[in-house]
Amino acid sequence: MDAETRNRTLGTRKDPLVRVRDIKKTGKMLSRDFPVAESRTRPAVKVQDGCNAFCTYCIVPYARGRSRSLPVSEVIDQVNRIHPMGFKEIVITGIHLGLFGKDLAPRTDLQSLLEQVLDSTSIPRIRLSSIEPDEVSEPMIALVKNNPRLCRHFHLPLQSGDNTILKRMGRPYTREDFETLVRKIHGQIPDAGIGADVLVGFPGETLDHFQNTLDLIEALPLTYLHVFPYSPRKGTLAAGFADRVSPGEIKQRCERLRALGNLKKESFYQSLVGKKVSVLMEEKSPGTKGLLKGWSSQYVPVLTEGGDHLKNTLVSVTLGEVVKGLGKEPRIFCMGTL
Ligand code: SF4
């Protein structure tokens, strides 16, 4: 910082002043000059920050403050700056994405934001990051179904498949609500990738509660899981809850869920064999024996032969065999041919 800029921004004091505000009183979200990198080919556009929900295990509302959104015009500006840089996909993210627009004047919502981004930009692909199960509306499912620029991918934080545990977590939906939503998405978009976060070993989670989670996931057309072991966060309500589940038990339950998640993933990938999908190519990876890796709209990792010139392009790929544990990669992939 040169002397003139320093004087303008910090005054003429020798010791720079750092001004901080109470995060709980921060009402405006500041636009970033540059999007946060989700990956080298899929930049994230953060449209919302903070949360008002106060789930009993979560520190976010205390640490990040209340929900605030980026004005729609600024989101569109960001996307229109990113696209000419050569990006083909953006990921719309937020701490609690479904609250987008509730703090803006005039009030708006995520559905309207998506419609305006589709209308006012020509970025080829738009992916939504995690969205709360009670905030996915039927019009939003229809929008994803009917617009090929929106990725056929929903990531839903389930956390538990047991109503007693959901209540203790302070989550505002039941296992039945979650089931209805997943079946609705699958009914409308049978090839959608539908992922779920699960928090394992919340205080008071008995084997019966955990079994309810396993049973729900097994019964639903979910396509992958992100499994997290519960650990108490100081300052949250749940940190004071009794009936802690032992770390060893949490580890075992996580392993069972991850195994189930891999089965769901594999069977979803098998269901896509022979289908033609659009894949955003990334780069060759030593972990995948030099094959090009990319991501389909459904969030399926696809490996294919091809030159480096395909990097960061959208290509049509026919999905073939499902492979596991290739090279250094422990993951499951679909092989594809151009
Ligand atoms: S878990 Fe999500 S919805 Fe709940 S308080 Fe944390 S950020 Fe908000």
Side-chain angles (χ1 to χ4, degrees):
M1 187 186 293
D2 62 39
E4 194 193 339
T5 314
R6 178 195 153 89
N7 288 347
R8 259 192 283 118
T9 52
L10 302 174
T12 50
R13 287 173 57 104
K14 280 195 181 137
D15 304 321
L17 281 174
V18 178
R19 295 180 197 281
V20 291
R21 290 195 63 195
D22 182 348
I23 191 80
K24 294 188 213 67
K25 292 181 184 149
T26 301
K28 189 173 185 298
M29 183 172 167
L30 297 177
S31 174
R32 289 174 190 272
D33 286 339
F34 198 79
V36 184
E38 169 84 6
S39 80
R40 267 170 280 182
T41 51
R42 297 178 295 121
V45 177
K46 188 170 179 180
V47 303
Q48 183 276 339
D49 202 353
C51 183
N52 309 338
F54 291 93
C55 300
T56 58
Y57 54 85
C58 182
I59 198 69
V60 162
Y62 307 98
R64 312 284 311 182
R66 301 296 182 269
S67 176
R68 52 217 182 263
S69 315
L70 205 59
V72 174
S73 59
E74 288 187 36
V75 177
I76 289 170
D77 278 356
Q78 271 204 25
V79 179
N80 280 331
R81 275 189 289 139
I82 292 166
H83 186 199
M85 293 176 194
F87 291 109
K88 304 293 187 300
E89 178 179 318
I90 52 156
V91 185
I92 302 270
T93 71
I95 295 286
H96 188 149
L97 202 48
L99 291 181
F100 175 84
K102 310 260 184 276
D103 58 307
L104 295 175
R107 198 178 152 100
T108 182
D109 60 20
L110 187 59
Q111 169 87 13
S112 171
L113 174 73
L114 289 175
E115 287 167 351
Q116 292 182 72
V117 171
L118 285 166
D119 280 352
S120 306
T121 77
S122 49
I123 189 95
R125 220 155 81 161
I126 300 163
R127 190 179 298 277
L128 278 180
S129 69
S130 179
I131 178 161
E132 289 290 322
D134 55 324
E135 288 162 353
V136 181
S137 62
E138 285 194 29
M140 192 181 292
I141 299 170
L143 191 67
V144 172
K145 177 184 176 183
N146 296 322
N147 200 308
R149 288 170 63 203
L150 289 176
C151 288
R152 298 162 91 78
H153 174 206
F154 292 85
H155 186 92
L156 310 168
L158 164 65
Q159 310 307 11
S160 171
D162 181 89
N163 285 340
T164 306
I165 297 300
L166 284 173
K167 208 165 180 192
R168 279 172 73 94
M169 288 176 166
R171 305 287 290 166
Y173 52 86
T174 61
R175 62 178 269 137
E176 291 77 17
D177 296 333
F178 188 85
E179 173 164 10
T180 303
L181 172 66
V182 173
R183 294 205 185 282
K184 211 177 271 174
I185 295 172
H186 184 69
Q188 290 292 314
I189 315 171
D191 67 338
I194 313 174
D197 291 330
V198 191
L199 187 57
V200 178
F202 189 74
E205 184 191 74
T206 63
L207 270 176
D208 283 348
H209 296 141
F210 178 65
Q211 190 61 46
N212 284 340
T213 301
L214 284 174
D215 291 346
L216 179 68
I217 290 168
E218 200 160 4
L220 289 180
L222 290 167
T223 64
Y224 68 92
L225 300 179
H226 287 171
V227 177
F228 302 95
Y230 171 78
S231 61
R233 292 280 176 276
K234 210 172 151 199
T236 60
L237 212 57
F241 287 179
D243 307 329
R244 291 271 178 85
V245 182
S246 74
E249 180 61 28
I250 291 179
K251 194 167 170 233
Q252 274 187 25
R253 292 182 193 179
C254 284
E255 280 165 13
R256 286 181 69 189
L257 257 181
R258 288 193 182 112
L260 177 59
N262 282 339
L263 286 177
K264 309 286 291 183
K265 188 185 277 184
E266 199 179 337
S267 98
F268 176 56
Y269 292 3
Q270 291 288 2
S271 76
L272 296 172
V273 171
K275 295 229 161 71
K276 214 166 219 187
V277 295
S278 167
V279 175
L280 178 58
M281 285 301 172
E282 293 188 340
E283 54 203 333
K284 287 185 179 169
S285 145
T288 54
K289 296 193 171 159
L291 294 166
L292 274 174
K293 188 173 90 183
W295 293 91
S296 78
S297 165
Q298 299 89 342
Y299 206 53
V300 173
V302 178
L303 296 180
T304 185
E305 306 264 4
D308 286 332
H309 65 284
L310 292 174
K311 187 181 161 189
N312 200 28
T313 61
L314 280 165
V315 292
S316 179
V317 172
T318 305
L319 297 179
E321 194 193 356
V322 177
V323 292
K324 289 191 271 186
L326 194 73
K328 289 181 190 158
E329 286 271 6
R331 282 198 286 168
I332 309 173
F333 297 93
C334 269
M335 297 300 291
T337 39
L338 296 172

